[in-house]
Amino acid sequence: MSIAFLDEIRASIRAMDPASNRQLPSVPVGLPAIDRRLPWGGLPLPGLHEITGSPADGAAVAFAAMIASRLGQGRSVLWSSIRRPGLYGYGLAALGFDPGALVLARGRRADDVLWHLEEGLRSGALAAVVGDGIAPDLTASRRLQLAAEAAQVPAIILLPSGPAPLQSVALTRWHVASRPSHDGCPAWNLELQRCRGGAPARWCVEWDDEAVALSLAAEMGNRPLASAAE
């Protein structure tokens, strides 16, 4: 029995154990309504997070940048993509992300991006890694989760449009879509679709440029998914 196979089994066992959530260090999202919903009190650092959304409206990219900024804590972030030639620096800065901390990489295939992420996690030099436009299968997601745990560094996956993978060991999966904003600031319908040890939920949020933080945009902000859909 190979060591890699044993590692995959260990990752699967940890993924099914809600008690392990409490042992993971985390960083608050910055919006109490969301942080209270997460079993860790925020986004766990050593773990895999998935984000879905339409590439056309840029909401998923903006949310990923916001998360990377909060998790990054001022250190460099690797952003590897197979679909995006570059990112808009001023837009990143408006979301609290320092463009100078961004390390861009480009892959021709999903395997290239996965290699970038794993090597970035192993380097010990990064605060977070982002894989843009890939959909890791169960084995690949286990490898990323194990690498993130070993490095104590988060891995964020921006899934391509279309059906999301049914099987994954990601700690969280989010869906983000743009919504109308009264003041021109980014506004999103944010859905926590999966959460290890937690329940799905939805929020309507807006980005506050002055506070450099999210704020609730509707009364339904902290309602469970089932009741919010009624």
Side-chain angles (χ1 to χ4, degrees):
M1 185 177 295
S2 71
I3 294 177
F5 181 68
L6 289 173
D7 284 342
E8 288 188 11
I9 293 176
R10 293 186 187 105
S12 296
I13 292 173
R14 286 194 295 271
M16 294 184 293
D17 180 15
S20 65
N21 289 338
R22 296 187 293 271
Q23 302 171 6
L24 298 179
S26 64
V27 170
V29 175
L31 186 57
I34 296 179
D35 290 325
R36 285 195 299 266
R37 277 280 176 182
L38 298 170
W40 313 271
L43 287 166
L45 291 173
L48 178 64
H49 305 277
E50 296 175 338
I51 301 172
T52 69
S54 170
D57 68 9
V61 173
F63 183 65
M66 187 275 293
I67 288 180
S69 173
R70 296 201 66 86
L71 297 178
Q73 301 177 331
R75 294 193 296 150
S76 295
V77 172
L78 171 67
W79 194 299
S80 180
S81 173
I82 57 173
R83 71 180 182 195
R84 201 178 309 281
L87 296 168
Y88 183 51
Y90 288 108
L92 293 177
L95 293 165
F97 190 104
D98 177 11
L102 186 64
V103 179
L104 287 173
R106 194 78 190 277
R108 293 184 178 181
R109 303 173 303 157
D111 286 347
D112 297 333
V113 174
L114 289 169
W115 184 84
H116 293 161
L117 301 185
E118 289 191 42
E119 290 302 306
L121 289 168
R122 292 191 183 104
S123 73
L126 299 170
V129 298
V130 180
D132 189 350
I134 62 172
D137 60 17
L138 182 58
T139 298
S141 73
R142 284 170 175 161
R143 288 174 61 91
L144 286 173
Q145 176 62 31
L146 287 169
E149 288 179 359
Q152 295 289 290
V153 169
I156 301 167
I157 299 296
L158 269 165
L159 296 169
S161 57
L166 294 177
Q167 293 183 308
S168 171
V169 299
L171 301 182
T172 64
R173 178 180 291 172
W174 307 79
H175 180 79
V176 194
S178 294
R179 64 188 302 272
S181 172
H182 68 278
D183 58 4
C185 292
W188 307 319
N189 291 319
L190 180 60
E191 180 180 345
L192 179 60
Q193 294 182 327
R194 289 186 183 181
C195 180
R196 184 197 295 181
R202 286 178 179 167
W203 301 269
C204 295
V205 299
E206 291 182 340
W207 181 255
D208 187 330
D209 282 336
E210 294 185 2
V212 194
L214 289 174
S215 61
L216 286 179
E219 293 181 358
M220 64 178 284
N222 195 28
R223 292 166 58 189
L225 180 60
S227 60
E230 294 176 353

